[in-house]
Amino acid sequence: MKHFPIFMALEGRRVVLSGGGEAALAKLRLLLKTEAKLTVVSDNAAPEIRDWAAQGRLSLINRAMEPGDAICASLFYAANENDAEDARVAALAHRDGALVNIVDNLADSQFITPAIVDRDPVTVAIGTEGAAPVLARSIKKSLEEQLSPNLGLMARIGKAFRSKVEALPFGAKRRAFWSDYYAADVADADVAQERLEDLLDKHLHAPEREGWVDLVGAGPGDPELLTLKARKALDNADVVIYDRLVAPEILELARREAVMLSAGKEGFGPSVTQDAINEMIVSHARGGAHVVRLKSGDPTVFGRLDEEIEACEASGVKWTIVPGITSASAGVAALGQSLTKRGRNSAVRLITGHDTKGYADHDWRALAQPGEVAAIYMGKKSARFIQGRLLMHGANPDTPVTVIENASRASQRILSTKLSELEPSLTEANFDGPALVFLGLAPRAALQVADQFEQKEAAV
Ligand code: SAH
């Protein structure tokens, strides 16, 4: 961003413009909407400018610009439509200490004037840093259509009413009041005033809003793999409590005013205890907030979901589950495989490499059978343990094993190997993101070439 947008208070401040033709008129029409003290310096001012001077709306100095004309000016516009004259007056104004804009000369201007959608006091400024004036115009056009012409009137009346709305507690309740007010288009000041009084009465006497918890699956990382329900929950959340594995691009989608709290659980043992997370969820919901508990993948898969549900139930807090795409689904999709296949495996196991107590034990004898397919979550650190147990129980050393790191993200990597080589291949690949181990699945043959390439890259 080369230009930082700000709104400048111009009431009573000096703004000087040099020029008297079309470019000057266009700028002056905008500047006359402000409460600045306008001075035009021109020996050739258009009749419209002379009229404005006669009406006292600006001061006109009937000569070419001289040193000192821009003294004490906050802003200065060079609008002579003549490069040499603009450069001369800009240098003078610069010496006088004003911020200088040269019309249609971005490179030599210290500030630029954006395209404006005016619903005073609501003003939308659109700038493209000179990159795409046509785009700025089309954005302006669509905003002009979108924003009711009555918006300014409603905002002015709303502003005068703000102190009364302080009777409502700060936060969700006040927000709900204002979004109710702005939901309807009102063209008449008296009607708007009446509406404000009625709405305030309604909101002051509304029954206490109950908070609730959405236990939401954030998917494996790619924001496009979020469900529409998850998007909606994020759009409306008051509080978002998220796990470490939730991708930053997804957190960006939360409502801007939402309080974002990290539940920061690490792979081996939580760094924020589960009890503390439960307490966080329940206390915000009991305070009336819409809490989104955001978990990677699907919340029902290795997400300690039941403990959080039980905490909600114990406190009488309402909850819902919004399912997400689990990383096993994203992982097989990247391998071009399916999780189950007629004639190969009619069952698939989702297992974990470790639990809260350490390496997790499983029915190794069953898992060691030919044709078994398992998606092993949190299996990176326990890969050697799993490999040893399976081989000990008679698994074929050539059983395909595929490890996929950061499934669905731009940083996704795939290691295609076999059981006897899982370690040390996995350690050598140096995966540092979340990874899923697929036992009994290789990438589809058509993808093998690419995988081998990636495997080599991973080994470098
Ligand atoms: N509820 C999640 C799993 C949480 S357990 C889900 O449904 O996916 C955390 C484990 O999930 C990680 O250790 C890793 O094994 C796996 N995981 C999560 N996101 C992943 C991703 N993008 N790629 C590969 N594995 C992932």
Side-chain angles (χ1 to χ4, degrees), residues 220 245 296-298 301-302 326-327 377-378 404 406-407 409 434-436:
L245 281 184
S296 74
D298 182 273
V301 178
F302 302 125
T326 187
S327 41
Y377 290 71
M378 295 171 274
I404 180 156
N406 289 322
R409 304 182 187 199
L436 204 70

Side-chain angles (χ1 to χ4, degrees), residues 305-385:
L305 182 70
D306 298 79
E307 291 159 69
E308 296 175 7
I309 290 176
E310 280 154 23
C312 290
E313 299 262 281
S315 308
V317 168
K318 288 204 187 100
W319 54 272
T320 63
I321 300 176
V322 179
I325 293 184
T326 187
S327 41
S329 301
V332 280
L335 303 186
Q337 287 287 13
S338 50
L339 273 176
T340 60
K341 184 182 175 190
R342 195 194 279 244
R344 184 190 65 201
N345 65 310
S346 56
V348 61
R349 294 169 200 249
L350 305 185
I351 67 174
T352 173
H354 68 80
D355 53 28
T356 46
K357 292 184 221 87
Y359 294 144
D361 239 325
H362 296 285
D363 183 352
W364 302 111
R365 187 169 301 283
L367 279 165
Q369 296 302 310
E372 277 295 314
V373 171
I376 309 172
Y377 290 71
M378 295 171 274
K380 226 171 29 179
K381 288 185 185 151
S382 47
R384 192 174 289 284
F385 171 77

Side-chain angles (χ1 to χ4, degrees), residues 154 177-185 195 199:
M154 289 181 67
F177 170 84
W178 287 116
S179 48
D180 253 12
Y181 171 61
Y182 284 108
D185 189 13
R195 206 174 122 66
L199 271 179

Side-chain angles (χ1 to χ4, degrees), residues 157-170 173-174 177-178 192-201 203-204:
I157 293 169
K159 189 176 175 190
F161 200 74
R162 285 189 82 86
S163 57
K164 286 199 184 168
V165 182
E166 279 166 21
L168 286 168
F170 178 78
K173 293 200 171 166
R174 259 187 234 172
F177 170 84
W178 287 116
Q193 185 67 35
E194 226 170 89
R195 206 174 122 66
L196 281 166
E197 307 275 1
D198 290 350
L199 271 179
L200 184 59
D201 190 55
H203 280 252
L204 279 172

Side-chain angles (χ1 to χ4, degrees), residues 331 334-335 379-380 383 387 399-407 411-419 421-431 434-443 447-448 450-460:
L335 303 186
K380 226 171 29 179
Q387 180 186 33
T399 306
V401 176
T402 308
V403 188
I404 180 156
E405 182 201 29
N406 289 322
S411 49
Q412 171 178 295
R413 286 195 296 175
I414 295 168
L415 169 73
S416 165
T417 180
K418 52 187 181 176
L419 184 57
E421 291 174 8
L422 173 58
E423 283 297 7
S425 303
L426 183 55
T427 302
E428 282 163 12
N430 212 7
F431 283 181
L436 204 70
V437 179
F438 283 108
L439 173 72
L441 276 187
L447 299 174
Q448 285 279 14
D451 290 330
Q452 275 155 18
F453 174 73
E454 295 204 29
Q455 194 183 335
K456 255 191 235 138
E457 278 204 328
V460 172

